[in-house]
Amino acid sequence: MQLRYNYRAYPDASQRRALAQAFGCARVVWNDCLRDRKEAHAAGGPYVKSAELSRLRITQAKRTQERAWLAEVSAVVLQQSLRDLDAAYKNFFDSVKGKRQGRKVGPPRFKSKKDTRQSIRLNTNAFTLQENGTVYVAKVGNLKVTWSRRLPAAPTSLTVTKDSCGRYFLSFVVETEPDILPQVEAECGIDLGLCAFAVLSDGRKIDSPRFLRRAEKKLKRLGRELSRKAKGSKNRAKARIKVARQHARVANRRRDWHHKASTQIIRDNQAVYVEDLAVSGLGRTRLAKSVHDAGWSTFVGMLEYKAALHGRTLTKVDRTFPSSQLCSACGLRDGPKPLHVREWTCSECGTVHDRDHNAARNVLFEGQRVVATGRVETLNACGAPVRRAHMPAQRVEAGSPRKGQTTQAGIPGP
């Protein structure tokens, strides 16, 4: 399976200029090729092939006076930019034809030099890992890297990224074998919420850290300082970087906390069951800031790829399942309840339920039922899994919505 490893890089002044030039050349090739395809489509012509665009916008463009500076960067950067455009068009066409699940994907858009995030992508022909710990990038030089951990295998591709606050990162894609953990008997259902970030079916509660809420006072102050600066001035650019850095700190803390919590849950349980929440819809309600601060999608995505990596089972229960309305003791459906009702008593068996704990237990029972009914499709005659879930190398949220259907990832448990 493919994994992505991300490291902080520290280029010097000349290397930053070379990277800025590479970012700009990749952006120009993207925009030129996208413009040719849009003009051909508007004129009623056929779809322009990649080979023709490579010849016109890369090979021949280097020989012209207007685009002669394209020859100053690695040719791999320009070719990969064209391949990324092809991938964007493929995703768009697959989405239109219904071959791609999840949200509809729009057509590719033009890139701007004012975008706060710039990146280039390289294959193994354009970068090398040196023995002294640096990474050689073609036409840039040896980049100093902070290695937080070793790469498990030789990388197959490299993405160099500059984020909104001016930091540089190297992202390696590595082909590795799954690291199967010893089997355990425990299974758990998870009810995600805002008062408590997660409540497990065994009664444990994971408090919500609320990183954005805790940093909100400082962010407001920095935002006021930014609004006072004149547009286009250097002081405004400095103030914008301060705001971006504060947001980056919040995101880093949240990501680190998500990794620790998801790893602990995967290690302690053979099977994990979680609700397939409509986060995009909840993000448009009055609770939007709290929903985005919790980061449910990122957390579930981490559970998904770690389950596949460590040989665990992750099952998503349909979002229409009434987990808060059912009694986990007798199964009576007691009807919907407003959010301020945190405890309720079952009218059938008299059991007093904590709302979140009861929902987590119902998610556990429903997930076990789904796995039991789908066991024939996931195991062969010998009891071994037929196939392992494919996990793409993504840096951000993994997975996509399943149109309300229950999905599974990883290897089914015993």
Side-chain angles (χ1 to χ4, degrees), residues 99-379:
K99 297 181 181 180
R100 181 185 175 91
Q101 293 183 341
R103 288 183 177 181
K104 294 295 182 182
V105 177
R109 296 182 293 182
F110 291 105
K111 295 182 178 181
S112 172
K113 64 179 180 181
K114 296 182 180 179
D115 292 340
T116 56
R117 185 180 183 276
Q118 305 284 343
S119 65
I120 55 174
R121 195 159 60 89
L122 309 166
N123 58 22
T124 53
N125 297 327
F127 74 92
T128 307
L129 274 64
Q130 305 292 338
E131 294 182 356
N132 59 0
T134 61
V135 177
Y136 172 76
V137 177
K139 298 293 185 75
V140 175
N142 293 324
L143 296 177
K144 182 181 177 181
V145 183
T146 300
W147 298 98
S148 56
R149 52 182 171 174
R150 287 179 172 272
L151 288 172
T156 58
S157 71
L158 167 65
T159 302
V160 184
T161 305
K162 179 185 177 183
D163 67 2
S164 58
C165 51
R167 300 177 301 175
Y168 292 84
F169 293 93
L170 303 184
S171 181
F172 299 92
V173 175
V174 179
E175 290 280 353
T176 61
E177 292 296 326
D179 181 17
I180 307 300
L181 294 175
Q183 290 192 0
V184 295
E185 297 297 329
E187 297 183 354
C188 78
I190 303 177
D191 178 68
L192 299 174
L194 296 178
C195 297
F197 176 80
V199 178
L200 307 186
S201 56
D202 58 6
R204 288 183 294 166
K205 287 189 176 182
I206 302 176
D207 294 330
S208 180
R210 300 179 180 177
F211 294 107
L212 180 61
R213 295 292 186 180
R214 287 158 54 183
E216 201 169 23
K217 184 177 180 181
K218 187 173 183 179
L219 283 170
K220 286 182 178 179
R221 178 177 60 81
L222 293 176
R224 288 194 299 267
E225 294 177 0
L226 175 62
S227 65
R228 296 190 188 105
K229 303 299 186 291
K231 292 185 178 180
S233 64
K234 292 184 178 180
N235 285 336
R236 186 178 180 86
K238 294 177 182 178
R240 186 201 63 79
I241 291 178
K242 289 183 180 179
V243 176
R245 285 176 178 172
Q246 185 61 25
H247 278 290
R249 291 190 189 102
V250 173
N252 289 342
R253 291 167 184 165
R254 184 188 298 115
R255 187 183 305 110
D256 178 70
W257 187 84
H258 281 164
H259 272 297
K260 292 177 180 178
S262 59
T263 299
Q264 188 65 40
I265 291 174
I266 290 297
R267 289 185 179 276
D268 293 345
N269 299 277
Q270 183 65 32
V272 179
Y273 309 98
V274 64
E275 243 181 330
D276 184 20
L277 296 174
V279 179
S280 59
L282 294 171
R284 293 191 293 268
T285 64
R286 62 185 178 86
L287 300 174
K289 183 178 289 188
S290 298
V291 169
H292 291 304
D293 189 14
W296 293 330
S297 294
T298 304
F299 179 73
V300 174
M302 290 181 181
L303 289 175
E304 189 172 3
Y305 90 81
K306 290 177 182 180
L309 175 64
H310 297 302
R312 303 305 201 206
T313 300
L314 175 72
T315 302
K316 293 182 181 179
V317 176
D318 196 302
R319 64 186 60 170
T320 60
F321 175 68
S323 59
S324 298
Q325 303 179 25
L326 296 174
C327 173
S328 59
C330 65
L332 174 70
R333 183 166 181 173
D334 208 12
K337 303 166 186 62
L339 289 177
H340 70 271
V341 177
R342 309 314 302 173
E343 286 189 359
W344 58 281
T345 303
C346 177
S347 59
E348 181 71 19
C349 62
T351 305
V352 179
H353 293 293
D354 176 85
R355 179 192 182 101
D356 298 330
H357 183 214
N358 176 72
R361 286 174 55 84
N362 286 327
V363 169
L364 171 65
F365 299 149
E366 176 66 10
Q368 290 174 337
R369 185 193 66 80
V370 170
V371 171
T373 56
R375 180 78 64 174
V376 177
E377 300 176 357
T378 55
L379 299 181

